[in-house]
Amino acid sequence: MRQAVAFLRNTRQMSSFAPSTLNPRIKNVQYAVRGEIAIKAEKFREQLKNPNHGLPFDRVISANIGNPQQKGLDQPPLTFGRQVAALLEYPPLMESGKNIFPADAIARAQELYSEIGSIGAYTHSQGVPFIRKNVAKFIEQRDGYHANPDDIFLTAGASAGVNLLINFLISDDKSGILIPIPQYPLYTATLAQYGGIPLPYYLDETDHGWGTSTAEVEKAITKALDEGVKPRALAVINPGNPVGSVLTYAEQESLVQLCQKYNLVLLADEVYQSNIHTRDTHTFTSFKKVVRDLSSEVPLISFHSISKGVTGECGRRGGYFECVNVPEETVALLYKMVSVGLCPTVGGQVGVDCMVRPPVEGEDSYPLWKKETDKIHKDLAERTVLMAKRLNSLPGMSCAPSPGALYLFPCLHLPEKALQAAKDAGRSPDSFYCINLLEETGICVVGGDGFGQKEGQAHFRLTCLCAGVEAYVDQLEKFHRAFMEKYS
């Protein structure tokens, strides 16, 4: 009785939903892209709505995340995909809108409607079978090898697929996943959530770009084994986020062979596969093609998304992953788990269909689609080169070229006084730099410590999505020179 009274007394003093009562793994999850600096940027955005806001800038520039259609970045959506989406949202338009919508958009919407019905209904848990067949055709045309629709899962963005697969692979508290450093923080956040161990392998930063060393990956594998950790999978981001690197075919071959040697699953994050800015010198090759070329038995999961590329439909949450060399029994378990969530977002599935089946030459929508996508590719390529050139001209900063993806990852070489000021403020050097940049200019970027880096280094990631790049970089340059002078 006394114990019961004591228990009741204690529970009255503390909420049953207080942080101390929750899953302790949640506390270890960190996601810098949407972390402290991004939260502060949103507060500034609200503050700017007040005419007497008192801030030294008149807008917040969201360079922290690859969100092309975000307000302030304003990459226009591709017309064809939005027309198909509009027609499926309100099917009577397929008849009444014949003088408004092009014939091929109406035909696509009618075809999808005949397969899906209302997009307000649940679909097959693995995704609409017809759309999965179209994804399989896309993969076959890209790689020259057969793809089975039954091995393809449509997802709410690639992130949902990554989360699911890491959940599957972490079988005990000694399971680890090899991740590139710098990395997209989704991987460390998800590992923290499921109690997995991140096994970092460091990318090589040079004046010519970032590279992946197989020797460095193998070093991370043997270190893990020596420490009693079982490496379960190798995660590779190609093209790279945040560094924009594009792997060569030889590098990919070597990584597949390493997975074969150590019996690893290969997780290929290929969401930026169409974001190649220097097509005369760099080419994207899928890991599916490399695995098939080598007749390898390495289990491969490859991810793709409508959020990146030229589609940029982040908010629609569409993506897929393909299983290669994965036992049927495991595919069945994957299906069981996705069925718990009922189905991926149907609008996202429609977006996937439009991504893998864009208009082709001869169709009504092709000229506009070609014009829109060519402009996006051109703008990204020009901004990436211009921004890297300007950043490299600054004292205390170096920026490796980025032939792919949507970002730059410049390195900061800060004076000792700045390092001490950061320490006094209780911050890492790059976090200190980024918070000052935001407070003085409204430019929101993410410090390198959120992505991982070698000890003693400082970086930050910024997107190349911002229109009006000259004025934007002018502000950054002005801030940086003043910052370096203040702490020199």
Side-chain angles (χ1 to χ4, degrees):
M1 183 66 180
R2 290 179 181 176
Q3 289 178 329
V5 170
F7 172 78
L8 290 171
R9 185 182 297 118
N10 289 335
T11 54
R12 289 193 191 103
Q13 293 172 352
M14 179 175 62
S15 167
S16 59
F17 208 54
S20 60
T21 69
L22 306 180
N23 182 342
R25 289 176 179 170
I26 300 298
K27 299 176 186 178
N28 297 326
V29 174
Q30 301 291 332
Y31 189 64
V33 172
R34 296 275 187 154
E36 177 200 4
I37 293 176
I39 292 170
K40 190 163 191 174
E42 287 306 310
K43 289 180 178 178
F44 284 160
R45 200 185 303 277
E46 286 299 309
Q47 190 174 338
L48 285 169
K49 294 177 181 179
N50 184 339
N52 300 314
H53 54 71
L55 295 172
F57 47 85
D58 56 11
R59 70 177 181 129
V60 171
I61 299 173
S62 300
N64 60 307
I65 191 167
N67 188 15
Q69 295 180 32
Q70 181 175 348
K71 187 175 181 180
L73 302 183
D74 302 323
Q75 177 179 302
L78 299 180
T79 301
F80 177 76
R82 285 300 181 89
Q83 288 174 331
V84 172
L87 290 161
L88 286 167
E89 287 284 349
Y90 189 62
L93 282 174
M94 297 179 204
E95 186 62 37
S96 63
K98 287 183 176 178
N99 294 325
I100 302 172
F101 294 91
D104 57 340
I106 293 174
R108 175 69 60 87
Q110 290 172 333
E111 183 181 39
L112 288 170
Y113 188 73
S114 70
E115 296 287 341
I116 301 170
S118 170
I119 64 169
Y122 293 134
T123 69
H124 189 289
S125 292
Q126 201 169 331
V128 175
F130 177 72
I131 297 177
R132 285 190 281 121
K133 288 177 183 177
N134 293 329
V135 173
K137 291 175 185 176
F138 163 79
I139 294 170
E140 289 172 356
Q141 291 170 359
R142 183 193 66 191
D143 300 332
Y145 290 102
H146 174 69
N148 184 352
D150 292 337
D151 292 331
I152 293 166
F153 287 74
L154 302 185
T155 56
S159 299
V162 171
N163 188 295
L164 175 67
L165 267 297
I166 290 180
N167 185 14
F168 262 58
L169 288 162
I170 303 305
S171 56
D172 55 39
D173 60 3
K174 290 296 182 181
S175 298
I177 307 286
L178 292 145
I179 58 172
I181 298 296
Q183 54 100 28
Y184 178 48
L186 166 68
Y187 291 90
T188 46
T190 308
L191 283 166
Q193 180 181 351
Y194 294 118
I197 301 172
L199 305 175
Y201 64 91
Y202 290 89
L203 304 182
D204 296 326
E205 182 179 16
T206 72
D207 292 340
H208 305 293
W210 291 80
T212 301
S213 163
T214 304
E216 178 67 26
V217 179
E218 188 160 25
K219 178 181 171 184
I221 294 171
T222 56
K223 181 176 183 291
L225 292 171
D226 288 344
E227 294 173 352
V229 177
K230 171 60 177 172
R232 296 299 316 281
L234 169 65
V236 181
I237 308 173
N238 183 46
N241 175 11
V243 299
S245 55
V246 179
L247 292 172
T248 66
Y249 187 89
E251 287 171 330
Q252 291 177 266
E253 273 189 322
S254 184
L255 291 171
V256 170
Q257 290 163 351
L258 198 64
C259 289
Q260 187 86 47
K261 179 178 178 179
Y262 289 97
N263 195 26
L264 301 173
V265 177
L266 178 54
L267 303 176
D269 184 334
E270 298 176 335
V271 302
Y272 298 99
Q273 60 188 259
S274 65
N275 294 122
I276 306 294
H277 311 313
T278 52
R279 294 174 184 266
D280 53 336
T281 56
H282 293 82
T283 303
F284 169 79
T285 303
S286 75
F287 270 101
K288 163 78 175 286
K289 176 171 173 53
V290 178
V291 165
R292 291 295 189 230
D293 284 353
L294 294 174
S295 299
S296 172
E297 296 179 356
V298 165
L300 165 70
I301 311 292
S302 56
F303 306 92
H304 199 9
S305 170
I306 66 172
S307 298
K308 312 304 176 187
V310 291
T311 311
E313 296 279 12
C314 299
R316 289 185 177 269
R317 308 312 299 138
Y320 72 80
F321 65 84
E322 182 192 17
C323 303
V324 177
N325 295 331
V326 174
E328 288 184 12
E329 298 84 356
T330 303
V331 173
L333 288 172
L334 286 166
Y335 175 77
K336 179 177 74 171
M337 290 304 295
V338 299
S339 68
V340 174
L342 298 174
C343 75
T345 58
V346 185
Q349 294 185 58
V350 170
V352 169
D353 191 83
C354 293
M355 177 181 72
V356 301
R357 283 201 302 162
V360 297
E361 196 164 2
E363 293 180 342
D364 291 350
S365 297
Y366 178 77
L368 179 57
W369 177 86
K370 183 76 165 57
K371 179 182 177 182
E372 290 173 339
T373 56
D374 282 353
K375 184 177 188 308
I376 292 169
H377 282 303
K378 180 175 179 289
D379 288 348
L380 281 171
E382 289 178 350
R383 288 173 193 156
T384 302
V385 172
L386 172 64
M387 290 170 67
K389 182 179 179 181
R390 295 274 297 270
L391 296 178
N392 272 317
S393 71
L394 295 174
M397 190 180 297
S398 58
C399 185
S402 175
L406 306 175
Y407 317 99
L408 292 172
F409 198 62
C411 184
L412 295 167
H413 311 282
L414 300 177
E416 188 59 38
K417 285 184 179 179
L419 301 180
Q420 186 59 51
K423 185 177 180 180
D424 294 343
R427 294 185 175 276
S428 65
D430 35 22
S431 171
F432 181 71
Y433 180 92
C434 293
I435 199 74
N436 277 273
L437 175 65
L438 173 65
E439 291 174 347
E440 295 185 29
T441 67
I443 298 173
C444 180
V445 299
V446 188
D449 52 354
F451 300 91
Q453 56 198 341
K454 292 178 180 177
E455 188 174 351
Q457 289 189 334
H459 293 81
F460 64 96
R461 189 191 78 166
L462 71 166
T463 71
C464 302
L465 294 165
C466 302
V469 66
E470 290 276 6
Y472 156 48
V473 179
D474 282 347
Q475 286 180 276
L476 201 160
E477 281 187 353
K478 183 179 179 181
F479 164 82
H480 181 79
R481 291 184 187 281
F483 183 92
M484 294 298 286
E485 183 176 346
K486 177 178 179 180
Y487 292 106
S488 61

